[in-house]
Amino acid sequence: MTFQRDRGTEVESLGALVFHMARHHGWDGEVLLNYGSVEFLGPYGALGSPDANGIRLPAGFTSRVIARSGQRVTGTSYTWHNAPDGGACYADGSGWIYVSNSEINPSGGAGAVKFSATGAITGAYRILSGTRQNCAGGKTPWNTWLSCEEVDRGYVYETDPWGVKAAVRRDAMGRFKHEAAAADPVRKVVYLTEDVSDGCFYRFRPTTWGDLSSGTLEVLVAGSGTSGPVSWARVPDPSGATATRNQVSGAKRFNGGEGCYYADDTCWFTTKGDNRVWQYNAAAQTIELAYDDSLVTGGTAPLTGVDNVTGSSSGDLFVAEDGGNMEICVITPDDVVAPFLRIDGQSGSEITGPAFSPDGSRLYFSSQRGTSGSSSGGITYEVRGPFRS
């Protein structure tokens, strides 16, 4: 720990930093105490002063603006959509594509930006139109983008990141207030979150893996605890004529499901109503908490307003904040939780759509409402630097 002794010695007790620290023998980050507050430092170190884009980054990282809502994407004729939200990246030859939802209602939809091998923007275009409040979504192993409607009895749309094939509505994946999706290629299912205060956690088992036109929607069943074994039960009527979350006795409730991300037999998902990050162990069929801000004592929790989530090849999770203090925080495999970046001057916004380029060297995300606090003020960024691998 580093103490700023010349600024006084009255500090609050650190207490328990995060839920999982009790299961580990050491802390490999740092903690700074400033005027009685706590600043958590993770593997990337302290955040610097705001750059020209108002982003505080660790040493060695830089940012640039990729697109702004209502303005043409540089070098293209495409006008970037309002309220940019969930996103993902796709390899495209030696370059890549970043897709981004539009969380407005009506019109919604999704757009995409294409990059060359050097990161230069080479194109931008629509991949989905005429939908409602497209919040988050998920990438499939067959390189489509699942765009989720966050409205009552919303749909999932399967889209083509290249904008060549028409988007297809996937009714079999259920009608509810969708938030995000994450594909599990081992068990051949797609996990789905529901953004209501008494929502559920679902999985869709397609009849044929790679074809989402038919299959079985299931809901997670478990007790009221925060850890332990779980099971899955079929949702009798995915159409949602009766709310899907109310069709199965014993379906476990989650307070405002948000982002989800799958890797290495685990699906991580966030719940904004209680500021928790959950992990579902698909191999063992158990759940537990990866983070709970109510278990952090002795200062401000390092992560609040949990929302979209993605991961890197190092096993680090990157969790975006909806509100909080506009940070993307990292959760390491050793359960260190700390800010990776912070956006200054945009307190009326939220961070959305974190996704890594295929080589892991660039992180894309948006400030949904930017400096204006309006959906027409969205800004999409790229951060480049020495990410852990």
Side-chain angles (χ1 to χ4, degrees):
M1 298 179 188
T2 302
F3 294 83
Q4 293 192 337
R5 295 179 178 88
D6 57 338
R7 297 185 175 183
T9 58
E10 182 180 352
V11 296
E12 300 171 81
S13 170
L14 288 177
L17 296 180
V18 288
F19 177 78
H20 270 190
M21 284 194 63
R23 299 194 305 150
H24 292 269
H25 300 293
W27 167 259
D28 62 0
E30 300 176 64
V31 177
L32 299 183
L33 279 69
N34 303 315
Y35 293 101
S37 66
V38 179
E39 182 179 353
F40 296 82
L41 296 184
Y44 291 101
L47 303 184
S49 300
D51 66 9
N53 298 316
I55 302 180
R56 295 177 180 266
L57 293 163
F61 288 85
T62 59
S63 76
R64 67 167 170 160
V65 173
I66 296 301
R68 295 180 183 270
S69 296
Q71 298 183 24
R72 290 186 178 181
V73 178
T74 301
T76 79
S77 61
Y78 178 70
T79 299
W80 197 238
H81 47 269
N82 288 348
D85 207 294
C89 283
Y90 299 79
D92 178 49
S94 59
W96 60 92
I97 295 168
Y98 176 68
V99 301
S100 168
N101 278 346
S102 176
E103 195 188 16
I104 58 173
N105 188 8
S107 297
V113 180
K114 185 176 284 194
F115 300 88
S116 72
T118 63
I121 295 172
T122 60
Y125 45 88
R126 269 270 166 176
I127 62 171
L128 177 65
S129 300
T131 54
R132 304 169 296 163
Q133 202 159 325
N134 296 76
C135 196
K139 179 180 179 178
T140 68
W142 48 94
N143 287 324
T144 59
W145 168 246
L146 302 180
S147 184
C148 298
E149 288 186 319
E150 189 193 345
V151 296
D152 289 335
R153 299 190 72 200
Y155 291 102
V156 175
Y157 288 82
E158 187 171 16
T159 68
D160 174 17
W162 286 263
V164 176
K165 298 178 181 177
V168 180
R169 196 177 76 192
R170 295 305 190 190
D171 296 18
M173 299 185 78
R175 295 192 65 183
F176 53 88
K177 200 170 184 180
H178 283 277
E179 177 72 26
D184 174 350
V186 178
R187 278 142 291 272
K188 299 181 178 179
V189 298
V190 178
Y191 302 106
L192 301 160
T193 55
E194 180 177 27
D195 192 1
V196 292
S197 60
D198 62 342
C200 290
F201 184 58
Y202 303 87
R203 72 180 184 186
F204 178 68
R205 292 193 298 106
T207 304
T208 302
W209 186 237
D211 179 357
L212 303 178
S213 61
S214 65
T216 302
L217 182 67
E218 298 175 328
V219 64
L220 186 142
V221 175
S224 59
T226 57
S227 64
V230 303
S231 60
W232 296 89
R234 184 179 68 87
V235 176
D237 180 14
S239 76
T242 297
T244 53
R245 63 186 180 277
N246 295 331
Q247 294 183 32
V248 174
S249 177
K252 185 168 180 60
R253 304 295 173 161
F254 294 96
N255 191 351
E258 290 288 337
C260 61
Y261 170 76
Y262 172 88
D264 299 326
D265 286 331
T266 301
C267 184
W268 288 270
F269 61 100
T270 62
T271 49
K272 66 182 179 186
D274 47 18
N275 278 308
R276 287 171 166 174
V277 180
W278 300 79
Q279 59 186 86
Y280 167 64
N281 183 322
Q285 288 208 138
T286 60
I287 60 167
E288 61 180 308
L289 287 176
Y291 176 81
D292 183 344
D293 79 339
S294 71
L295 298 177
V296 178
T297 62
T300 303
L303 170 61
T304 58
V306 298
D307 202 314
N308 288 181
V309 59
T310 192
S312 68
S313 60
S314 65
D316 293 335
L317 290 182
F318 288 76
V319 185
E321 291 186 334
D322 178 354
N325 53 354
M326 286 293 287
E327 293 178 340
I328 293 179
C329 288
V330 61
I331 303 179
T332 74
D334 295 324
D335 302 310
V336 175
V337 183
F340 168 73
L341 65 78
R342 182 184 306 141
I343 304 177
D344 280 5
Q346 300 187 26
S347 60
S349 187
E350 62 185 275
I351 298 180
T352 59
F356 281 94
S357 59
D359 69 356
S361 68
R362 303 169 194 245
L363 175 65
Y364 295 92
F365 60 93
S366 296
S367 171
Q368 191 181 78
R369 296 176 292 279
T371 57
S372 71
S374 167
S375 62
S376 62
I379 309 171
T380 300
Y381 299 97
E382 173 195 271
V383 164
R384 187 179 184 186
F387 288 100
R388 303 202 309 166
S389 60

